[in-house]
């Protein structure tokens, strides 16, 4: 694929509430280092800024980030602010709250409902904004998200947040949140790496209700925050060869073709990988290829 000539518009669009975005976006987690959080070595600042600016040149208008995306030297939000402010009118920045890391980078106790305002304000400060376009509540193993989501709904009424989403949830949590305030997106782990009946059900439910489904780790798979292991299923490699594409592009294309409401937020700190990820939005797998990959998915990736 001629990655350098393909822009994010090739993937089509969807709406997060009243905000239209191209279905290929950008995840900021890997901007800060060779692996997410404190797991790798800090990134080169100039290169990270270049990646962000190049993303916009390639038509990306949906960036996913969080205040807890930082390494010992880099903060994803600060990089976004430095590279892109003043922000284009069509750029949608999605943040998430709930998890907490202390100043050393170690994970602490997740936020109580009364602490979410502080997390929202920290994202506002770091990004240099007076409101957040979309805020996802990341569920942290609690059975009910009503109190946490209710606290964010109050911040939405106070105009600190425009739209709300939820992350790491199951179908009952979506219904619970919707009884409190509109939900514009659900962000769960999903991809070709491993079958997940719960994630499949959530994807279908979102499609039926017109809610964006936003998978994370669609490329990294079980590698998660550490990144992809580089090993690939033979079926994925075969499809990639047929399209002169990479396995990562096939994974992204398969994910996008699970429904018009499915978005992708692949992250990278490499300008070449960025262009390849964006180009995956133009890759159209055949019905036979989708069937073969789907069979491999159901068998465990």
């Amino acid at each position: 694929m001629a990655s350098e000539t393909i822009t994010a518009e090739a993937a089509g669009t969807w709406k997060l509430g009243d905000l239209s975005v191209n279905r290929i976006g950008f995840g900021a987690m890997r901007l800060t280092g060779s692996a997410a959080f404190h797991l790798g070595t800090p990134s080169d600042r100039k290169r990270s800024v270049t990646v962000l600016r190049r993303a916009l040149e390639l038509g990306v208008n949906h960036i996913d980030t969080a205040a807890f995306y930082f390494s010992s030297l880099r903060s994803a939000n600060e990089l976004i602010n430095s590279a892109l402010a003043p922000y284009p009118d069509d750029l949608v920045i999605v943040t998430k709250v709930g998890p907490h890391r202390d100043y050393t980078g170690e994970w602490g106790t997740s936020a109580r409902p009364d602490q979410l305002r502080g997390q929202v304000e920290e994202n506002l400060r770091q990004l240099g904004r007076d409101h957040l376009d979309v805020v996802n509540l990341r569920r942290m193993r609690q059975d009910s998200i009503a109190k946490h989501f209710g606290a964010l709904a109050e911040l939405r009424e106070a105009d600190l947040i425009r739209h709300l989403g939820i992350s790491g949830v199951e179908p009952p949590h979506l219904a619970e949140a919707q009884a409190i305030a509109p939900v514009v997106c659900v962000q769960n782990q999903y991809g070709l790496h491993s079958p997940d009946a719960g994630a499949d059900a959530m994807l279908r439910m979102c499609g039926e209700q017109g809610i964006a489904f936003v998978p994370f780790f669609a490329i990294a798979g079980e590698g998660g925050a550490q990144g992809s292991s580089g090993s690939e299923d033979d079926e994925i490699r075969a499809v990639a060869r047929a399209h002169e594409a990479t396995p990562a592009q096939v994974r992204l294309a398969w994910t996008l073709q699970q429904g018009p409401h499915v978005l992708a937020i692949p992250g990278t700190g490499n300008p070449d990988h960025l262009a390849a990820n964006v180009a995956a939005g133009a890759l159209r797998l055949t019905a036979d290829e989708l069937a073969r990959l789907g069979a491999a998915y159901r068998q465990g990736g």
Side-chain angles (χ1 to χ4, degrees):
M1 298 181 70
S3 299
E4 67 280 358
T5 65
I6 299 173
T7 65
E9 286 86 351
T13 62
W14 192 258
K15 283 194 171 183
L16 297 172
D18 61 345
L19 304 171
S20 181
V21 296
N22 292 321
R23 292 176 61 214
I24 279 276
F26 177 79
M29 179 185 286
R30 297 295 296 276
L31 279 177
T32 62
S34 59
F37 312 126
H38 58 292
L39 301 175
T41 56
S43 63
D44 177 78
R45 177 181 175 80
K46 183 179 294 186
R47 189 184 194 195
S48 295
V49 167
T50 296
V51 166
L52 283 163
R53 291 174 177 166
R54 181 58 179 153
L56 266 60
E57 292 171 357
L58 289 171
V60 170
N61 58 5
H62 168 207
I63 295 177
D64 177 83
T65 187
F68 56 85
Y69 286 177
F70 64 87
S71 68
S72 58
L73 293 180
R74 303 281 177 259
S75 156
N77 280 355
E78 187 276 328
L79 287 166
I80 291 167
N81 189 346
S82 297
L84 304 180
Y87 301 109
D89 291 340
D90 68 339
L91 178 62
V92 176
I93 299 178
V94 179
T95 60
K96 63 186 69 64
V97 295
H100 169 70
R101 295 174 68 208
D102 64 26
Y103 71 93
T104 69
E106 294 303 311
W107 293 100
T109 304
S110 58
R112 302 186 307 268
D114 63 297
Q115 294 174 319
L116 291 177
R117 182 181 185 111
Q119 291 194 345
V120 166
E121 290 178 343
E122 181 66 7
N123 278 284
L124 288 168
R125 184 189 67 78
Q126 292 178 2
L127 291 166
R129 308 197 75 172
D130 59 8
H131 76 279
L132 299 174
D133 296 323
V134 183
V135 173
N136 285 316
L137 171 67
R138 173 66 59 83
R139 182 175 75 99
M140 301 299 290
R141 296 177 295 279
Q142 63 265 42
D143 292 331
S144 171
I145 62 170
K147 291 183 179 179
H148 287 79
F149 195 78
L152 291 183
E154 292 177 2
L155 298 180
R156 175 175 172 267
E157 291 298 318
D159 295 326
L160 294 182
I161 302 171
R162 190 164 177 178
H163 296 295
L164 297 173
I166 50 180
S167 176
V169 295
E170 299 171 358
H173 302 115
L174 175 57
E176 189 177 37
Q178 287 176 308
I180 298 170
V183 175
V184 303
C185 57
V186 171
Q187 189 181 99
N188 278 8
Q189 184 168 352
Y190 185 76
L192 269 173
H193 52 282
S194 179
D196 187 332
D200 290 335
M202 183 62 76
L203 184 150
R204 290 193 300 270
M205 184 179 296
C206 287
E208 292 165 356
Q209 299 182 32
I211 297 170
F213 183 78
V214 190
F216 59 87
F217 297 150
I219 295 176
E222 294 176 350
Q226 291 276 15
S228 173
S229 66
S231 61
E232 289 293 352
D233 179 86
D234 290 343
E235 201 66 70
I236 294 175
R237 291 189 180 278
V239 173
R241 287 193 298 270
H243 289 272
E244 296 184 347
T246 67
Q249 288 176 318
V250 170
R251 286 179 176 273
L252 288 173
W254 180 87
T255 301
L256 289 170
Q257 285 183 242
Q258 299 309 298
H261 65 298
V262 179
L263 311 185
I265 48 170
T268 182
N270 183 312
D272 294 331
H273 290 171
L274 168 70
N277 289 343
V278 170
L283 178 57
R284 302 292 184 263
L285 305 178
T286 67
D288 176 67
E289 288 168 340
L290 287 171
R292 286 157 47 198
L293 291 171
Y297 165 72
R298 289 188 293 274
Q299 292 170 10

